[in-house]
Amino acid sequence: MEPIKDYRQVQEAINAFANQDVYIHLETTNGAYASHHDQTFFSAGAYIRNALVRYEIGKITGNDPYRVGLKINLGWIYAEGLTHFEVDEQNRLLLAGHDNKGKLAVALEISATPFE
Amino acid sequence: MEKERHVLVVFPHPDDEAFGVSGTIATHVQNGTPVTYACLTLGEMGRNMGNPPFTNRENLPKIRKEELKAAAAALGIQDLRMLGYRDKTVEFEDDEKLAKAMLSLINEVNPSLIITFYPGYSVHPDHDATGAAVVRAVESLPAAARPKLHCVAFSNNCVEELGEADIVHNISAVADKKLAAIQAHRSQTEQMFGDVTEKLKNQDPQMMVWINNERFWTYKFDK
């Protein structure tokens, strides 16, 4: 993965998936041990894999870390805290937000074919 | 350590075996006891990506699969099963089906000892769900036919509620194998390993106790 330096590259990749059926992976997590190590920490997370949607607009905004929002058929998908991206060998757009220790805190991925 | 007929280790994540039980596993292997390690997931939700990141969410499971194989090889485990569940979803599986899967594994392998997590005292929901499934499977056997069940627990309240561990293995004789297993899970352990290596070199007393002693609680069935 590379740091998102030029958001236009990401915007182009988002545009390429617009107005077609795509599969979404979206997750955010603090890690399973967050409240074990610090009992005052309120741990929360969410995960969805292979949601089949279609978006008319997708946009990257913000200034490192970035936010991405997708306006889908009847609603929205968004992620914040994104720092890295990659268009992988299967032509999927992988976006990730890594914290200052390199731990994955958020991921948003878009693919024309289902994720494994 | 008692000589066993066959040891079955059941954990949900690659690297679960490394810290708490790899010395025990290596000792059984050295005693000539066959060891089967059933690992439910590939740790697909791992968060250590390196800085700069060395992989991404989609490729991490492939890396962790190879690391799991390497760790098993370092310990001399010949029978490694990857059961194909997904990280962080074990607790949401059908309880009965999961217990049945564990039971069929037990019936096939016929272990005299099973090692898993103590349900309710193992912090990660996958750990608790895995331990609970194994407990349900063993519970379904007639009491006389049950293999021994040694559980790993590390929640903050485990000693308070379960008492001290009734089994403590000093594994210093195979500590090198244990460290090799920990190191094999590079994507998960590299960040902390530099620190560990330094402390080992200095024979840090706390670290030596942590590395050399593996603690288990014998599971207590109601009936």
Side-chain angles (χ1 to χ4, degrees), chain A residues 38-107:
Chain A
D38 174 2
Q39 288 184 35
T40 64
F41 190 87
F42 182 84
S43 191
Y47 173 89
I48 185 166
R49 191 161 176 85
N50 283 326
L52 182 58
V53 301
R54 187 179 271 251
Y55 59 84
E56 54 174 292
I57 304 173
K59 201 187 277 183
I60 179 166
T61 64
N63 181 23
D64 202 9
Y66 296 89
R67 299 178 295 279
V68 166
L70 309 174
K71 186 171 192 176
I72 62 168
N73 333 45
L74 296 171
W76 287 92
I77 291 171
Y78 75 81
E80 72 169 287
L82 298 165
T83 57
H84 288 73
F85 88 107
E86 172 180 345
V87 175
D88 76 356
E89 67 291 346
Q90 295 178 55
N91 214 28
R92 305 178 293 195
L93 174 59
L94 311 182
L95 291 154
H98 298 118
D99 69 14
N100 49 20
K101 288 180 184 153
K103 284 185 193 288
L104 187 78
V106 59

Side-chain angles (χ1 to χ4, degrees), chain A residues 2 4 8 19-20 26 58 64 69 71 75 77 79 84 91 105:
Chain A
E2 285 174 46
I4 302 171
R8 278 170 299 190
N19 297 308
Q20 56 174 292
L26 175 67
D64 202 9
K71 186 171 192 176
I77 291 171
H84 288 73
N91 214 28

Side-chain angles (χ1 to χ4, degrees), chain B residues 4-8 102-103 106-107 109-115 134 137-150 218-219 221:
Chain B
E4 299 295 339
R5 179 179 63 237
H6 195 127
V7 177
L8 171 62
M102 298 300 126
L103 186 61
I106 293 167
N107 286 335
V109 169
N110 189 25
S112 53
L113 168 67
I114 302 178
I115 297 174
V134 172
V138 175
E139 220 160 18
S140 71
L141 299 167
R146 289 174 190 161
K148 280 182 285 185
L149 186 51
H150 291 179
T218 303
Y219 190 82
F221 293 95

Side-chain angles (χ1 to χ4, degrees), chain A residues 27 39 103-104 109 116, chain B residues 47-48 57-58 86 156:
Chain A
E27 68 170 273
Q39 288 184 35
K103 284 185 193 288
L104 187 78
E109 304 178 345
E116 266 169 51
Chain B
R47 304 172 71 230
N48 286 315
R57 177 46 83 233
E58 298 307 315
R86 183 166 282 266
N156 293 322

